[in-house]
Amino acid sequence: MTSSPVTGAEVAADLRGTDLHDARFARSATGLLQAFNVSGVLTAADVHVAARLARLGGETDERVLLAVALAVRGIRHGSVCVDLTAIGQTVLGEGDELVDVSALPWPEPGAWRAACEASPLVAVGAEAPGGPPLRLAGPGSGLLYLDRYWRQEEQVRIELRDRAAAAPPEPDLDRLRAGLTRLFGDPAGDPTGGQGTDRQRLAAAVSALRRVTVLAGGPGTGKTTTVARLLALLADQPGAAPRIALAAPTGKAAARLAEAVREHTGELPAADRARLGELTASTLHRLLGRKPGSSRFAHDRHNRLSFDVIVVDESSMVSLTMMARLLEAVRPDARLVLVGDPDQLASVEAGAVLGDLARAEGTPESTLDIRLRSLGALPPADPAIVNGVVTLDRTFRFGGAIAALARAVRTGDADAAIAHLRAGSGDLLFVETDTLESRDPAGLDGLRADVVDASRALTGAARTGDVVTALDALDAHRLLCGHRRGPYGVTRWSAEIEAWLADAGQGATVDATGRADDGEWYPGRPLLVTANDYDLGLYNGDTGVVVRTGTGVRAVFGRGGAHQEVAPARLAGVQSVHAMTVHRSQGSQFSRVTVVLPPAESPLLTRELLYTAITRARSMVRLIGTEQAVRVAVGRPVSRASGLRDRLAR
């Protein structure tokens, strides 16, 4: 960083030869805004918003305008605020390319913060009246918010604080103790098999004794099993049966939540199954509804949801805005269970609420602690529960080298991650190569074989109408990319796979004229739904396959133990899926996964992206890239500026 402001003339001198007529550039920008726009840190839209606010507020200090533009930019990149003291070390470029931000004329942090505090565009502290479009968290704080997001963060904090401070639920403790034993086993008999505290049992007990529970855990740790049992535990309490809502951020996640809960409730004792009945799930948007003729939600603090228990799965994908809207709509006496993996990629919108909740410090609640220990759910030597957070840490889906690698990535241990990758395990393969930008990269024979073998099984089953085998083959192998475009992206690798399949005689078959026998709807074509279709019950991110049946070709989509057949003519938003982004793979599992790592200089290469990618696999992970890329990913957690964690602790 520089220690003194940089003038517009000094910046302009560095921009000679730049085509400022490029659509990416704001032609009216000067000084710092122009420098950061041309470098790729700011877009033209960021600059235009800052300039507009400057005109409305009478602000001329270019340091303040830069802060405004960076705050606007931060929302697009998932941050709810901008940290003026650290952004010079954490900000990256747009898209897939890294920007050398060290060469940019960053203002000195102390003077920058002071300029913002003095600006008519900025309110300072929680007690300052509303009106200005931006707010500093407090005097001397470097956290600068767009005022709307500051208010949402404050709303989430207050809602959680008030629910924790209110009188806790008063369940029948004897019945609760009996229910815990029936559903989770006798704690005296060590139902974990020597694995320590039964944290599934603990999470269920916390949900019975507290208004808000955070059920955290990685893939395969039994989160949905726990949800099914804790719902049975709550339904077993005296009085009217609780009204239960299951929800998730996306249609795909909601459908999978309903399927998984239905599967696990089917394993419960008959009386528990009868009390729960048939549970369905919806998206959060559908749960909250819409006011007729308005973009606002129908349910809010003036029209609360009627449910007694609300379970939200994939909560890591819930943005700050949606969490604020949800909390205000949940009745103060209802129970809310937030389920998810705080180590996965967060919401594509601003905020990382689950991560903030799961990692916030707090003070143990004495009443909760006494009750949990009296029930045998929390052993005497275990630490008290804080903020209602219970983390499941025993993995059932995969083990061995994959689990060890996931643990090393999650804890930021790059040396251990590299050691696991190079150990030569059969379920963890490391293809070290820096030739992915070449036309025909070397060392990919194993990937090509997996792709062709999976396609052969898929196509064979699809042509004979074997729906079950076709759907199993669809999830046998999946190629995941961090980028959408370029040499490391989905577009390039989808084309590569199409070529491999054509060489192997897979994919669409052609006649003597070169035309596809079945047109675009050939048996074995793997499909990806790209838009929600509520009439068909298909959601963005769902995958399926075209199968030849007795009535013609049909697009088939898995639905738990069942499947759904749809005539191709009824499908609107679908495309072939030979590769997908890591983001889109969230909530899915595949037998074998191949990950094309972005280059080390990619701003998309993060710890969360790598962790999410490798934990999609059940039996094998193949990582293609360089040691440097692995080390960069493990050492670079997603940088999302937020003040929620500290505010919760206070």
Side-chain angles (χ1 to χ4, degrees):
M1 291 191 179
T2 59
S3 59
S4 59
V6 178
T7 67
E10 289 172 329
V11 172
D14 293 330
L15 300 177
R16 294 190 183 99
T18 301
D19 179 12
L20 296 181
H21 294 285
D22 189 308
R24 296 170 297 174
F25 303 139
R27 280 181 272 175
S28 61
T30 59
L32 292 177
L33 288 179
Q34 186 182 49
F36 281 74
N37 176 212
V38 171
S39 73
V41 170
L42 298 176
T43 66
D46 300 330
V47 173
H48 292 321
V49 171
R52 175 64 174 164
L53 291 177
R55 288 193 296 271
L56 292 174
E59 178 59 74
T60 59
D61 191 322
E62 64 177 357
R63 295 170 298 177
V64 175
L65 302 190
L66 174 62
V68 172
L70 288 170
V72 173
R73 174 198 185 277
I75 299 299
R76 191 173 62 258
H77 286 260
S79 293
V80 298
C81 59
V82 57
D83 186 349
L84 300 179
T85 63
I87 190 170
Q89 289 82 39
T90 60
V91 72
L92 300 170
E94 295 281 338
D96 300 344
E97 297 180 0
L98 189 69
V99 173
D100 181 10
V101 298
S102 64
L104 290 171
W106 295 96
E108 192 279 322
W112 199 7
R113 185 176 60 242
C116 290
E117 288 181 1
S119 173
L121 298 179
V122 180
V124 181
E127 304 304 321
L134 291 98
R135 186 179 296 258
L136 274 168
S141 170
L143 298 184
L144 179 68
Y145 295 77
L146 296 180
D147 191 66
R148 169 190 171 189
Y149 290 92
W150 182 87
R151 292 183 180 280
Q152 289 176 357
E153 195 173 271
E154 182 71 355
Q155 180 183 347
V156 168
R157 182 190 70 83
I158 291 173
E159 291 278 1
L160 293 172
R161 178 203 65 188
D162 290 350
R163 291 169 195 272
E170 293 293 342
D172 182 323
L173 293 180
D174 290 336
R175 195 155 179 171
L176 179 58
R177 183 179 291 104
L180 287 169
T181 298
R182 182 180 70 256
L183 295 166
F184 294 93
D186 185 351
D190 190 7
T192 68
Q195 297 294 316
T197 303
D198 185 348
R199 302 193 69 79
Q200 293 184 347
R201 178 193 187 94
L202 175 59
V206 171
S207 72
L209 298 170
R210 204 175 188 274
R211 301 292 181 193
V212 179
T213 304
V214 177
L215 177 57
T221 53
K223 296 190 294 294
T224 314
T225 301
T226 306
V227 167
R229 293 180 184 178
L230 73 82
L231 292 177
L233 193 69
L234 297 176
D236 184 46
Q237 285 292 303
R243 291 161 292 185
I244 298 170
L246 305 178
T250 67
K252 181 179 82 168
R256 291 186 174 174
L257 172 63
E259 293 166 10
V261 170
R262 191 177 303 119
E263 175 187 349
H264 292 300
T265 53
E267 302 167 354
L268 297 173
D272 290 300
R273 293 200 306 271
R275 278 189 288 268
L276 285 176
E278 188 71 16
L279 296 173
T280 60
S282 72
T283 64
L284 286 172
H285 283 84
R286 281 204 160 190
L287 178 70
L288 296 176
R290 287 287 184 185
K291 288 184 177 180
S294 169
S295 61
R296 298 178 64 85
F297 288 123
H299 292 284
D300 54 23
R301 67 179 62 258
H302 305 295
N303 180 30
R304 306 272 191 171
L305 291 162
S306 61
F307 299 101
D308 303 301
V309 181
I310 299 174
V311 177
V312 180
D313 196 19
E314 298 290 354
S315 294
S316 64
M317 299 167 64
V318 179
S319 68
L320 174 67
T321 300
M322 179 56 77
M323 188 63 74
R325 299 288 78 81
L326 173 66
L327 285 171
E328 72 173 3
V330 175
R331 296 197 332 264
D333 62 336
R335 288 178 173 88
L336 177 64
V337 182
L338 300 175
V339 184
D341 185 351
D343 295 307
Q344 283 190 23
L345 289 164
S347 165
V348 295
E349 299 178 45
V353 181
L354 183 69
D356 287 335
L357 292 178
R359 299 181 180 106
E361 296 180 358
T363 303
E365 301 159 32
S366 59
T367 300
L368 174 66
D369 193 59
I370 292 170
R371 288 179 169 180
L372 288 174
R373 298 188 194 278
S374 71
L375 290 167
L378 188 64
D382 281 15
I385 296 299
V386 173
N387 298 327
V389 178
V390 180
T391 301
L392 306 183
D393 53 10
R394 185 182 175 199
T395 301
F396 299 93
R397 180 186 303 164
F398 50 70
I402 297 177
L405 175 62
R407 185 165 50 251
V409 172
R410 189 179 68 246
T411 58
D413 190 340
D415 288 338
I418 294 297
H420 291 310
L421 286 168
R422 289 180 173 160
S425 167
D427 55 352
L428 190 57
L429 307 176
F430 188 24
V431 180
E432 292 191 69
T433 178
D434 58 0
T435 65
L436 292 183
E437 296 189 14
S438 64
R439 186 181 183 92
D440 187 18
L444 303 186
D445 292 343
L447 168 60
R448 185 167 182 162
D450 268 353
V451 167
V452 172
D453 288 347
S455 178
R456 184 174 290 117
L458 178 66
T459 303
R463 287 175 177 169
T464 61
D466 187 344
V467 171
V468 174
T469 302
L471 288 173
D472 286 344
L474 182 66
D475 291 338
H477 176 267
R478 186 58 49 84
L479 178 66
L480 303 180
C481 304
H483 290 184
R484 289 185 174 85
R485 295 171 295 277
Y488 302 87
V490 168
T491 302
R492 180 263 175 99
W493 287 98
S494 293
E496 292 274 8
I497 291 173
E498 291 276 12
W500 292 346
L501 296 180
D503 289 344
Q506 299 298 310
T509 58
V510 297
D511 59 23
T513 67
R515 297 179 60 183
D517 288 345
D518 294 288
E520 63 176 322
W521 302 107
Y522 59 88
R525 179 189 175 192
L527 301 174
L528 174 70
V529 177
T530 57
N532 292 337
D533 188 326
Y534 292 104
D535 292 333
L536 293 178
L538 297 177
Y539 305 101
N540 186 3
D542 279 350
T543 55
V545 58
V546 178
V547 175
R548 180 178 288 137
T549 69
T551 55
V553 294
R554 293 290 184 267
V556 180
F557 299 87
R559 286 290 176 265
H563 67 271
Q564 176 183 1
E565 296 184 8
V566 181
R570 299 186 65 190
L571 297 174
V574 294
Q575 65 186 41
S576 297
V577 56
H578 297 296
M580 62 170 43
T581 62
V582 177
H583 277 83
R584 195 182 281 277
S585 74
Q586 283 186 271
S588 300
Q589 296 92 45
F590 311 98
S591 180
R592 300 167 70 85
V593 166
T594 297
V595 184
V596 175
L597 281 179
E601 61 269 18
S602 169
L604 300 181
L605 185 61
T606 64
R607 181 183 301 169
E608 289 78 2
L609 182 127
L610 179 56
Y611 172 82
T612 302
I614 61 181
T615 55
R616 298 310 91 203
R618 287 189 290 262
S619 61
M620 190 280 290
V621 172
R622 176 188 292 108
L623 220 57
I624 301 176
T626 64
E627 176 184 339
Q628 183 187 10
V630 174
R631 290 188 176 279
V632 168
V634 174
R636 184 196 284 164
V638 167
S639 178
R640 287 198 168 194
S642 164
L644 181 59
R645 190 184 311 181
D646 289 340
R647 289 162 89 166
L648 289 171
R650 291 197 299 270

